[in-house]
């Protein structure tokens, strides 16, 4: 590098910062980094000026509007526009100011109106229509998610959620009339849904668009101000969400904060009116502990090992296709409701594996690592974690299909392992990837003890034509949700709540349940000044006592007797 620069003659070029980082990224990082307090290669978007680059022997000096460097026998003169600002650190103080600003907007009352809620929901619909291509492109950058899968599982679902809210919002907002008792006669009562206030949504990376926008849609429908913290593990989608929210929605009430652990920590230090977090149980505990300091209610959407029990009386081809759809075609298994492991009869396992193999080849070809229809693993860290699960001594010799991996592409082929021991890592943690263990049993009823030996899952699946087995499974298995003869698609049913139980989460959302989760159901009783009986006031005479007890009991005969002074 140094020798190459020594060979240069003095050369003056006007180039953009993008040109500079492309031609000499090391120089850009070393030279401009300290000046600008950043270490990434500089992009032209960071400045509104140009760089004049010169190469000449040892010369270094600084002045107010330019900087010259020559530590590697190269200099760059940077023209900085006056409006240039250093990157702001988002700390607890900034987070506090943000919450105060949004609370001020909420307290003005504007987010409570039906008109404001509708305007924001319509803006989201418009955003989804106009920017669909950019959304699917961002999802491809983050996860190599196929365009159709991205549209169906993220864009379309967000659009459906928004359309339902627009259609039903007036009905959701209506006070619910409640009957009153004789003790409050004459009176009327109602339950009034009101927004909670300023809420925080912390989303995750596996469905980074849907799991950001769906809760935000619910929070807006309920009339709240919202802060969205997208996952930094899906940076393209996070950046796009920040831009789209800024362009399309009311920034006095709806904001996006990008960042990682420091930014999330700063946000969690604040007092919110509700927090919705989607992610791992480990981080869920951190969120819950932070919320407890302010007695903030939370919705935790976590996960767990979601089982699929397969009886031998099924349509084998359809079952195989639906398991594949609920595992490998579901973001390459990177979903909290993906099939995590299968339980089936020992004698039926070879038939099931053969059917899965045939259908996998039909879907993804003979070399699934080259398939454009399968998402990649989100990061090198996640890739390494999955490889560790596969390479464990207890597991590596149990692979009956797949196991190939491409670290450069961050892809692992659909992998089936048979007869893995219970104490293997792959059976101790949520897999969250394209690995499917199959556990065999002598009797299908043995599935209950296996499933119950683990924390309650977010979803549990059963494939059978046996009606009694269906009833028993629903009755005996506790999970966030249950789906019979399919996988995953129950979350697309808006009339059903989506949420976990115990370690798979708490609280729920989707459709009306989102509105309810971000609302407070306020009890209101209306009375007039008429019929103000002295019976409720001291002094408490025996006659009053008899009448009050009769009224409380609701027995009309006793009330009449008490009024006449009869026992």
């Amino acid at each position: 590098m140094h020798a190459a620069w020594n060979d240069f003659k003095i050369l003056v070029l006007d180039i953009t910062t993008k040109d500079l980082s492309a031609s000499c990224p090391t120089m850009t990082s070393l030279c401009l980094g300290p000046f600008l307090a950043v270490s990434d290669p500089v992009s032209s978007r960071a400045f509104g000026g140009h760089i004049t680059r010169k190469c000449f022997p040892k010369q270094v000096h600084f002045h107010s509007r330019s900087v010259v460097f020559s530590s590697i026998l190269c200099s760059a003169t940077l023209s900085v526009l006056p409006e240039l600002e250093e990157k702001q650190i988002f700390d607890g103080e900034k987070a506090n100011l943000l919450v105060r600003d949004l609370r001020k907007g909420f307290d003005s009352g504007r987010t409570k109106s039906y008109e404001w809620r509708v305007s924001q929901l319509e803006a989201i619909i418009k955003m989804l229509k106009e920017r669909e291509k950019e959304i699917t492109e961002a999802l491809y950058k983050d996860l190599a998610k196929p365009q159709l899968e991205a549209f169906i599982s993220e864009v379309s679902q967000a659009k459906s959620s928004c359309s339902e809210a627009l259609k039903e919002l007036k009905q959701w907002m209506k006070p619910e009339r409640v009957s009153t008792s004789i003790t409050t006669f004459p009176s009327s009562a109602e339950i009034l849904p009101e927004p909670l206030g300023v809420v925080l949504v912390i989303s995750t990376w596996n469905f980074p668009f849907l799991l950001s926008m769906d809760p935000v849609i619910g929070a807006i429908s309920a009339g709240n101000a919202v802060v969205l913290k997208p996952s930094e593990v899906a940076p393209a989608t996070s950046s796009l969400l920040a831009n789209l929210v800024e362009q399309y929605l009311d920034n006095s009430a709806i904001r996006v904060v990008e960042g990682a652990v420091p930014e999330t920590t700063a946000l969690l230090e604040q007092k919110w009116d509700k927090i919705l977090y989607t992610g791992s149980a480990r981080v869920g505990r951190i969120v819950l502990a932070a919320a407890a300091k302010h007695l903030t209610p939370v919705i935790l959407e976590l996960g767990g090992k979601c089982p699929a029990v397969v009886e031998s009386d099924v349509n084998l081809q359809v079952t195989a296709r639906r398991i594949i759809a609920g595992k490998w075609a579901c973001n390459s298994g990177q979903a909290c409701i993906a099939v995590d492991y299968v339980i089936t009869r020992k004698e039926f396992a070879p038939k099931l594996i053969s059917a899965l193999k045939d259908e996998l080849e039909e879907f993804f070809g003979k070399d699934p690592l080259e398939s454009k229809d399968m998402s990649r693993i989100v990061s090198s860290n996640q890739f390494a974690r999955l490889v560790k699960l596969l390479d464990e001594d207890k597991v590596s010799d149990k692979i009956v299909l797949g196991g190939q991996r491409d670290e450069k592409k961050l892809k692992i082929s659909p992998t089936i392992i048979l007869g893995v021991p219970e104490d293997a890592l792959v059976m101790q943690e949520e897999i969250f990837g394209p690995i499917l263990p199959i556990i065999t049993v002598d009797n299908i009823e043995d599935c209950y003890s296996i499933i119950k030996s683990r924390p309650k899952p977010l979803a549990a699946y059963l494939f059978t034509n046996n009606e009694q087995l269906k009833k028993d499974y629903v009755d005996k298995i506790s999970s966030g949700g249950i789906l019979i003869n399919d996988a995953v698609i129950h979350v697309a049913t808006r009339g059903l709540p989506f949420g976990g139980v115990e370690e798979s989460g708490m609280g729920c959302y989707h459709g009306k349940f989102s509105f309810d989760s971000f609302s407070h159901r306020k009890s209101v009783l209306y009375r007039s000044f008429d019929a103000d009986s002295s019976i409720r006031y001291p002094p408490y005479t025996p006659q009053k006592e008899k009448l009050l007890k009769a009224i409380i009991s609701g027995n009309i005969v006793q009330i009449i007797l008490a009024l006449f002074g009869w026992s």
Side-chain angles (χ1 to χ4, degrees):
M1 181 81 173
H2 288 270
W5 283 110
N6 280 327
D7 291 338
F8 275 101
K9 303 295 182 182
I10 295 177
L11 180 64
V12 179
L13 294 172
D14 275 331
I15 59 173
T16 65
T17 55
K18 184 178 180 181
D19 297 327
L20 176 59
S21 65
S23 60
C24 185
T26 304
M27 184 202 74
T28 308
S29 179
L30 291 174
C31 298
L32 295 183
F35 176 69
L36 299 169
V38 296
S39 59
D40 294 331
V42 186
S43 70
S44 58
R45 194 174 158 197
F47 313 102
H50 288 77
I51 288 179
T52 301
R53 185 178 66 189
K54 298 180 182 179
C55 294
F56 49 76
K58 304 174 181 178
Q59 180 178 348
V60 180
H61 66 273
F62 297 87
H63 54 83
S64 61
R65 293 184 60 83
S66 67
V67 56
V68 180
F69 307 89
S70 61
S71 60
I72 50 175
L73 299 182
C74 179
S75 76
T77 302
L78 172 66
S79 299
V80 185
L81 292 184
E83 61 267 23
L84 172 65
E85 293 182 2
E86 290 186 7
K87 182 181 177 181
Q88 297 293 314
I89 297 173
F90 188 85
D91 55 14
E93 184 180 351
K94 296 268 191 322
N96 181 260
L97 288 172
L98 171 63
V99 175
R100 283 165 55 188
D101 189 35
L102 291 179
R103 198 169 295 285
K104 190 185 209 178
F106 174 78
D107 289 342
S108 71
R110 61 197 309 266
T111 68
K112 295 182 180 181
S113 73
Y114 172 78
E115 290 74 21
W116 181 87
R117 304 184 203 195
V118 167
S119 71
Q120 299 308 296
L121 294 172
E122 288 176 340
I124 293 174
I125 291 283
K126 182 182 179 185
M127 176 188 81
L128 293 170
K129 289 179 180 177
E130 294 179 350
R131 311 302 279 274
E132 178 187 318
K133 185 179 179 183
E134 292 173 58
I135 295 166
T136 55
E137 285 175 350
L139 293 169
Y140 186 82
K141 287 178 183 176
D142 288 329
L143 292 152
K145 191 169 287 192
Q147 183 177 345
L148 183 59
E149 183 182 332
F151 173 77
I152 292 173
S153 65
E154 304 224 32
V155 180
S156 177
Q157 288 295 310
K159 193 178 294 184
S160 173
S161 178
C162 210
S163 297
E164 182 188 12
L166 280 168
K167 180 182 178 182
E168 303 292 342
L169 187 58
K170 270 190 178 177
Q171 186 63 36
W172 293 349
M173 290 178 66
K174 278 184 179 179
E176 179 185 339
R177 303 291 294 183
V178 178
S179 60
T180 59
S181 68
I182 193 170
T183 56
T184 60
F185 178 84
S187 63
S188 63
E190 64 184 13
I191 300 171
L192 184 66
E194 66 175 7
L196 292 170
V198 182
V199 303
L200 173 64
V201 173
I202 306 174
S203 68
T204 190
W205 54 262
N206 57 335
F207 292 86
F209 187 82
L210 176 65
L211 296 183
S212 294
M213 290 308 302
D214 205 350
V216 168
I217 289 167
I220 290 172
S221 300
N224 298 280
V226 193
V227 172
L228 167 64
K229 165 58 185 66
S231 173
E232 72 280 6
V233 182
T237 307
S238 175
S239 177
L240 181 63
L241 280 165
N243 290 331
L244 293 181
V245 167
E246 184 177 10
Q247 292 176 37
Y248 284 86
L249 300 180
D250 179 1
N251 296 153
S252 70
I254 308 163
R255 303 278 279 278
V256 173
V257 174
E258 291 192 86
V261 174
E263 289 77 12
T264 306
T265 302
L267 289 170
L268 287 174
E269 289 172 354
Q270 311 311 311
K271 171 69 176 74
W272 304 91
D273 295 296
K274 194 151 199 176
I275 298 173
L276 185 148
Y277 166 76
T278 304
S280 69
R282 180 183 63 82
V283 179
R285 288 179 170 88
I286 296 171
V287 172
L288 190 58
K293 294 178 182 178
H294 301 287
L295 294 179
T296 299
V298 299
I299 300 173
L300 298 180
E301 297 297 343
L302 308 177
K305 297 186 74 63
C306 301
V309 177
V310 182
E311 177 60 293
S312 57
D313 62 349
V314 296
N315 181 316
L316 188 53
Q317 183 185 36
V318 173
T319 297
R321 294 165 73 91
R322 290 180 178 177
I323 289 174
I324 292 169
K327 179 66 172 181
W328 296 286
C330 186
N331 199 27
S332 201
Q334 298 171 110
C336 54
I337 52 172
V339 176
D340 192 272
Y341 63 100
V342 167
I343 302 174
T344 193
R345 292 179 185 270
K346 189 177 296 183
E347 68 272 15
F348 186 67
K351 293 180 181 179
L352 178 61
I353 292 169
S354 178
L356 288 168
K357 180 180 178 181
D358 291 343
E359 296 304 320
L360 281 167
E361 187 173 322
E362 178 73 22
F363 292 171
F364 304 116
K366 292 184 180 296
D367 185 0
L369 294 179
E370 297 298 323
S371 174
K372 295 180 179 178
D373 295 317
M374 180 177 286
S375 304
R376 66 169 171 82
I377 307 305
V378 70
S379 68
S380 57
N381 287 339
Q382 290 295 321
F383 183 89
R385 180 186 63 81
L386 291 166
V387 168
K388 181 181 177 182
L389 297 182
L390 283 177
D391 289 347
E392 187 183 11
D393 290 340
K394 300 173 183 178
V395 174
S396 58
D397 62 343
K398 303 292 193 299
I399 296 173
V400 295
L401 179 69
Q404 298 83 12
R405 70 286 301 260
D406 187 328
E407 189 172 0
K408 289 184 179 179
K409 293 181 179 178
L410 294 178
K411 282 196 170 186
I412 297 174
S413 65
T415 301
I416 297 175
I417 52 180
L418 179 63
V420 63
E422 288 288 310
D423 61 347
L425 288 174
V426 76
M427 291 306 299
Q428 296 301 309
E429 61 183 59
E430 185 178 5
I431 295 171
F432 228 72
I435 305 166
L436 183 65
I438 294 181
I439 298 173
T440 60
V441 292
D442 294 324
N443 299 301
I444 205 68
E445 289 77 12
D446 295 338
C447 72
Y448 299 127
S449 60
I450 295 172
I451 297 171
K452 289 180 177 181
S453 68
R454 294 176 169 78
K456 295 178 181 180
L458 185 57
Y461 307 113
L462 170 68
F463 293 84
T464 186
N465 280 313
N466 186 317
E467 294 301 321
Q468 186 59 49
L469 181 57
K470 293 177 187 177
K471 292 177 182 177
D472 290 344
Y473 194 78
V474 171
D475 180 58
K476 294 180 179 180
I477 296 301
S478 179
S479 62
I482 286 181
L483 177 53
I484 307 296
N485 290 334
D486 212 328
V488 172
I489 62 169
H490 62 296
V491 298
T493 306
R494 288 284 154 183
L496 293 175
F498 177 68
V501 57
E502 291 186 358
E503 287 197 29
S504 59
M506 61 179 69
C508 63
Y509 71 114
H510 279 195
K512 175 68 158 53
F513 300 98
S514 294
F515 178 87
D516 290 341
S517 291
F518 286 108
S519 299
H520 166 59
R521 290 169 60 82
K522 182 165 63 179
S523 302
V524 183
L525 179 70
Y526 298 92
R527 292 204 71 201
S528 72
F529 290 107
D530 298 329
D532 188 45
S533 173
S534 63
I535 192 174
R536 63 183 288 199
Y537 305 119
Y540 299 121
T541 65
Q543 180 70 13
K544 285 183 179 180
E545 182 181 350
K546 288 179 183 178
L547 187 53
L548 275 172
K549 286 181 177 180
I551 291 172
I552 292 170
S553 71
N555 188 315
I556 190 67
V557 175
Q558 289 184 8
I559 293 172
I560 294 171
L561 291 173
L563 285 171
F564 284 97
W566 300 334
S567 60

mmCIF file with all atom_site columns, all heavy atoms in Angstrom, residues 85-91 94 263:
data_model
loop_
_atom_site.group_PDB
_atom_site.id
_atom_site.type_symbol
_atom_site.label_atom_id
_atom_site.label_alt_id
_atom_site.label_comp_id
_atom_site.label_asym_id
_atom_site.label_entity_id
_atom_site.label_seq_id
_atom_site.pdbx_PDB_ins_code
_atom_site.Cartn_x
_atom_site.Cartn_y
_atom_site.Cartn_z
_atom_site.occupancy
_atom_site.B_iso_or_equiv
_atom_site.pdbx_formal_charge
_atom_site.auth_seq_id
_atom_site.auth_comp_id
_atom_site.auth_asym_id
_atom_site.auth_atom_id
_atom_site.pdbx_PDB_model_num
ATOM 1  N N   . GLU A 1 85  ? -23.324 17.811 10.818 1.00 0.00 ? 85  GLU A N   1
ATOM 2  C CA  . GLU A 1 85  ? -23.454 17.538 12.237 1.00 0.00 ? 85  GLU A CA  1
ATOM 3  C C   . GLU A 1 85  ? -22.797 16.199 12.552 1.00 0.00 ? 85  GLU A C   1
ATOM 4  O O   . GLU A 1 85  ? -22.847 15.264 11.759 1.00 0.00 ? 85  GLU A O   1
ATOM 5  C CB  . GLU A 1 85  ? -24.928 17.465 12.647 1.00 0.00 ? 85  GLU A CB  1
ATOM 6  C CG  . GLU A 1 85  ? -25.660 18.794 12.528 1.00 0.00 ? 85  GLU A CG  1
ATOM 7  C CD  . GLU A 1 85  ? -27.097 18.663 12.998 1.00 0.00 ? 85  GLU A CD  1
ATOM 8  O OE1 . GLU A 1 85  ? -27.476 17.564 13.446 1.00 0.00 ? 85  GLU A OE1 1
ATOM 9  O OE2 . GLU A 1 85  ? -27.819 19.656 12.917 1.00 0.00 ? 85  GLU A OE2 1
ATOM 10 N N   . GLU A 1 86  ? -22.165 16.123 13.708 1.00 0.00 ? 86  GLU A N   1
ATOM 11 C CA  . GLU A 1 86  ? -21.618 14.857 14.134 1.00 0.00 ? 86  GLU A CA  1
ATOM 12 C C   . GLU A 1 86  ? -22.768 13.918 14.492 1.00 0.00 ? 86  GLU A C   1
ATOM 13 O O   . GLU A 1 86  ? -23.845 14.336 14.875 1.00 0.00 ? 86  GLU A O   1
ATOM 14 C CB  . GLU A 1 86  ? -20.727 15.058 15.354 1.00 0.00 ? 86  GLU A CB  1
ATOM 15 C CG  . GLU A 1 86  ? -19.428 15.783 15.053 1.00 0.00 ? 86  GLU A CG  1
ATOM 16 C CD  . GLU A 1 86  ? -18.522 15.821 16.279 1.00 0.00 ? 86  GLU A CD  1
ATOM 17 O OE1 . GLU A 1 86  ? -18.866 15.183 17.285 1.00 0.00 ? 86  GLU A OE1 1
ATOM 18 O OE2 . GLU A 1 86  ? -17.480 16.492 16.197 1.00 0.00 ? 86  GLU A OE2 1
ATOM 19 N N   . LYS A 1 87  ? -22.493 12.606 14.354 1.00 0.00 ? 87  LYS A N   1
ATOM 20 C CA  . LYS A 1 87  ? -23.502 11.617 14.710 1.00 0.00 ? 87  LYS A CA  1
ATOM 21 C C   . LYS A 1 87  ? -23.848 11.743 16.190 1.00 0.00 ? 87  LYS A C   1
ATOM 22 O O   . LYS A 1 87  ? -22.990 11.734 17.048 1.00 0.00 ? 87  LYS A O   1
ATOM 23 C CB  . LYS A 1 87  ? -22.986 10.212 14.418 1.00 0.00 ? 87  LYS A CB  1
ATOM 24 C CG  . LYS A 1 87  ? -24.011 9.126  14.733 1.00 0.00 ? 87  LYS A CG  1
ATOM 25 C CD  . LYS A 1 87  ? -23.453 7.758  14.463 1.00 0.00 ? 87  LYS A CD  1
ATOM 26 C CE  . LYS A 1 87  ? -24.474 6.693  14.847 1.00 0.00 ? 87  LYS A CE  1
ATOM 27 N NZ  . LYS A 1 87  ? -23.958 5.332  14.624 1.00 0.00 ? 87  LYS A NZ  1
ATOM 28 N N   . GLN A 1 88  ? -25.129 11.878 16.457 1.00 0.00 ? 88  GLN A N   1
ATOM 29 C CA  . GLN A 1 88  ? -25.588 12.048 17.821 1.00 0.00 ? 88  GLN A CA  1
ATOM 30 C C   . GLN A 1 88  ? -25.650 10.708 18.535 1.00 0.00 ? 88  GLN A C   1
ATOM 31 O O   . GLN A 1 88  ? -26.090 9.705  17.978 1.00 0.00 ? 88  GLN A O   1
ATOM 32 C CB  . GLN A 1 88  ? -26.971 12.702 17.825 1.00 0.00 ? 88  GLN A CB  1
ATOM 33 C CG  . GLN A 1 88  ? -26.991 14.096 17.233 1.00 0.00 ? 88  GLN A CG  1
ATOM 34 C CD  . GLN A 1 88  ? -26.210 15.088 18.092 1.00 0.00 ? 88  GLN A CD  1
ATOM 35 O OE1 . GLN A 1 88  ? -26.371 15.111 19.302 1.00 0.00 ? 88  GLN A OE1 1
ATOM 36 N NE2 . GLN A 1 88  ? -25.367 15.873 17.463 1.00 0.00 ? 88  GLN A NE2 1
ATOM 37 N N   . ILE A 1 89  ? -25.193 10.672 19.762 1.00 0.00 ? 89  ILE A N   1
ATOM 38 C CA  . ILE A 1 89  ? -25.284 9.466  20.577 1.00 0.00 ? 89  ILE A CA  1
ATOM 39 C C   . ILE A 1 89  ? -26.652 9.450  21.246 1.00 0.00 ? 89  ILE A C   1
ATOM 40 O O   . ILE A 1 89  ? -27.045 10.412 21.897 1.00 0.00 ? 89  ILE A O   1
ATOM 41 C CB  . ILE A 1 89  ? -24.170 9.434  21.635 1.00 0.00 ? 89  ILE A CB  1
ATOM 42 C CG1 . ILE A 1 89  ? -22.797 9.380  20.951 1.00 0.00 ? 89  ILE A CG1 1
ATOM 43 C CG2 . ILE A 1 89  ? -24.350 8.241  22.566 1.00 0.00 ? 89  ILE A CG2 1
ATOM 44 C CD1 . ILE A 1 89  ? -21.636 9.505  21.918 1.00 0.00 ? 89  ILE A CD1 1
ATOM 45 N N   . PHE A 1 90  ? -27.378 8.346  21.056 1.00 0.00 ? 90  PHE A N   1
ATOM 46 C CA  . PHE A 1 90  ? -28.699 8.226  21.667 1.00 0.00 ? 90  PHE A CA  1
ATOM 47 C C   . PHE A 1 90  ? -28.531 7.597  23.042 1.00 0.00 ? 90  PHE A C   1
ATOM 48 O O   . PHE A 1 90  ? -28.363 6.393  23.191 1.00 0.00 ? 90  PHE A O   1
ATOM 49 C CB  . PHE A 1 90  ? -29.618 7.381  20.787 1.00 0.00 ? 90  PHE A CB  1
ATOM 50 C CG  . PHE A 1 90  ? -31.044 7.368  21.262 1.00 0.00 ? 90  PHE A CG  1
ATOM 51 C CD1 . PHE A 1 90  ? -31.913 8.382  20.889 1.00 0.00 ? 90  PHE A CD1 1
ATOM 52 C CD2 . PHE A 1 90  ? -31.521 6.354  22.085 1.00 0.00 ? 90  PHE A CD2 1
ATOM 53 C CE1 . PHE A 1 90  ? -33.230 8.391  21.328 1.00 0.00 ? 90  PHE A CE1 1
ATOM 54 C CE2 . PHE A 1 90  ? -32.832 6.350  22.528 1.00 0.00 ? 90  PHE A CE2 1
ATOM 55 C CZ  . PHE A 1 90  ? -33.688 7.367  22.145 1.00 0.00 ? 90  PHE A CZ  1
ATOM 56 N N   . ASP A 1 91  ? -28.548 8.425  24.072 1.00 0.00 ? 91  ASP A N   1
ATOM 57 C CA  . ASP A 1 91  ? -28.353 7.954  25.433 1.00 0.00 ? 91  ASP A CA  1
ATOM 58 C C   . ASP A 1 91  ? -29.635 8.137  26.241 1.00 0.00 ? 91  ASP A C   1
ATOM 59 O O   . ASP A 1 91  ? -30.692 8.463  25.702 1.00 0.00 ? 91  ASP A O   1
ATOM 60 C CB  . ASP A 1 91  ? -27.179 8.684  26.092 1.00 0.00 ? 91  ASP A CB  1
ATOM 61 C CG  . ASP A 1 91  ? -27.347 10.203 26.035 1.00 0.00 ? 91  ASP A CG  1
ATOM 62 O OD1 . ASP A 1 91  ? -28.477 10.673 25.733 1.00 0.00 ? 91  ASP A OD1 1
ATOM 63 O OD2 . ASP A 1 91  ? -26.373 10.913 26.295 1.00 0.00 ? 91  ASP A OD2 1
ATOM 64 N N   . LYS A 1 94  ? -31.298 11.579 25.813 1.00 0.00 ? 94  LYS A N   1
ATOM 65 C CA  . LYS A 1 94  ? -32.022 11.732 24.542 1.00 0.00 ? 94  LYS A CA  1
ATOM 66 C C   . LYS A 1 94  ? -33.319 10.921 24.565 1.00 0.00 ? 94  LYS A C   1
ATOM 67 O O   . LYS A 1 94  ? -34.358 11.368 24.065 1.00 0.00 ? 94  LYS A O   1
ATOM 68 C CB  . LYS A 1 94  ? -31.139 11.259 23.394 1.00 0.00 ? 94  LYS A CB  1
ATOM 69 C CG  . LYS A 1 94  ? -29.873 12.077 23.173 1.00 0.00 ? 94  LYS A CG  1
ATOM 70 C CD  . LYS A 1 94  ? -30.124 13.169 22.172 1.00 0.00 ? 94  LYS A CD  1
ATOM 71 C CE  . LYS A 1 94  ? -28.855 13.863 21.710 1.00 0.00 ? 94  LYS A CE  1
ATOM 72 N NZ  . LYS A 1 94  ? -27.820 14.091 22.705 1.00 0.00 ? 94  LYS A NZ  1
ATOM 73 N N   . GLU A 1 263 ? -28.768 1.722  22.614 1.00 0.00 ? 263 GLU A N   1
ATOM 74 C CA  . GLU A 1 263 ? -30.010 2.455  22.342 1.00 0.00 ? 263 GLU A CA  1
ATOM 75 C C   . GLU A 1 263 ? -31.200 1.768  23.009 1.00 0.00 ? 263 GLU A C   1
ATOM 76 O O   . GLU A 1 263 ? -32.084 2.426  23.583 1.00 0.00 ? 263 GLU A O   1
ATOM 77 C CB  . GLU A 1 263 ? -30.234 2.556  20.831 1.00 0.00 ? 263 GLU A CB  1
ATOM 78 C CG  . GLU A 1 263 ? -29.279 3.484  20.104 1.00 0.00 ? 263 GLU A CG  1
ATOM 79 C CD  . GLU A 1 263 ? -27.898 2.893  19.886 1.00 0.00 ? 263 GLU A CD  1
ATOM 80 O OE1 . GLU A 1 263 ? -27.715 1.657  20.088 1.00 0.00 ? 263 GLU A OE1 1
ATOM 81 O OE2 . GLU A 1 263 ? -26.979 3.643  19.503 1.00 0.00 ? 263 GLU A OE2 1
#
